[in-house]
Amino acid sequence: MSAIVTPDICDAYPEVQVLDPVFVNFGGHEAFCGPVRTVKCFEDNSLVKEAVAEPGDGAVLVVDAGGSHRCAMLGDMLAEQAVDNGWSGVVLYGCVRDVDVLAETDLGVQALGSHPRRSDKRGEGQRDVAVTFAGVTLTPGQWLYADNNGIVVAEERLDLEG
């Protein structure tokens, strides 16, 4: 696959959905893509921890954390686990922490912001469900493409060659 450039994707594939521009790049990879896998949770990252412990196979973990700015849902340890298990990236509709370490991590990470407080661990939430935030509904199996220009979602993997 050639380089991910979301403006070029939008030009070549006008049917892609574009997430509202509310995300900030925190990961060591500024551009990333992969099939979508989802977690829906609020101020409890138990299911995020569970997901990154499993084989990612190049997927992007999309986390609907309800847009909370009161705690972080991903930090350096979970990001390292995501790298070790082959995840391409994480998109969080919520916050991250350990941002200096995340910037050096071999993972794409986009989130709303940073927050130093960790989340609760109550085992609450849902996995592999449709999630809606930033003006788009994302479902498992769609393809997500992200770079410094934004995040786009397609129904299937796009041919970005040529």
Side-chain angles (χ1 to χ4, degrees), residues 80-140:
E80 282 297 336
Q81 196 167 20
V83 170
D84 293 345
N85 289 316
W87 291 86
S88 171
V90 179
V91 173
L92 261 155
Y93 189 60
C95 292
V96 296
R97 67 185 200 166
D98 305 313
V99 297
D100 295 332
V101 177
L102 291 182
E104 302 298 320
T105 303
D106 195 22
L107 183 71
V109 178
Q110 290 207 21
L112 297 179
S114 61
H115 196 289
R117 180 174 288 126
R118 69 180 178 189
S119 78
D120 290 334
K121 309 277 192 291
R122 298 179 306 270
E124 297 175 358
Q126 298 171 288
R127 287 186 61 186
D128 304 317
V129 296
V131 295
T132 302
F133 57 81
V136 174
T137 297
L138 298 103
T139 57

Side-chain angles (χ1 to χ4, degrees), residues 2 25 34 36 52 60 77 83 90 92 94 130 144 150 160:
S2 61
N25 247 328
V36 169
V52 299
V60 176
M77 291 188 293
V83 170
V90 179
L92 261 155
L144 183 145
L160 301 181

Side-chain angles (χ1 to χ4, degrees), residues 36-47:
V36 169
R37 295 196 201 158
T38 64
V39 168
K40 185 173 184 169
C41 52
F42 185 73
E43 297 181 1
D44 176 348
N45 75 345
S46 302
L47 295 184

Side-chain angles (χ1 to χ4, degrees), residues 23-34:
F23 296 92
V24 177
N25 247 328
F26 289 99
H29 287 184
E30 293 184 341
F32 58 97
C33 71

Side-chain angles (χ1 to χ4, degrees), residues 13-25:
Y13 297 94
E15 71 277 9
V16 297
Q17 298 180 79
V18 180
L19 276 69
D20 292 342
V22 295
F23 296 92
V24 177
N25 247 328

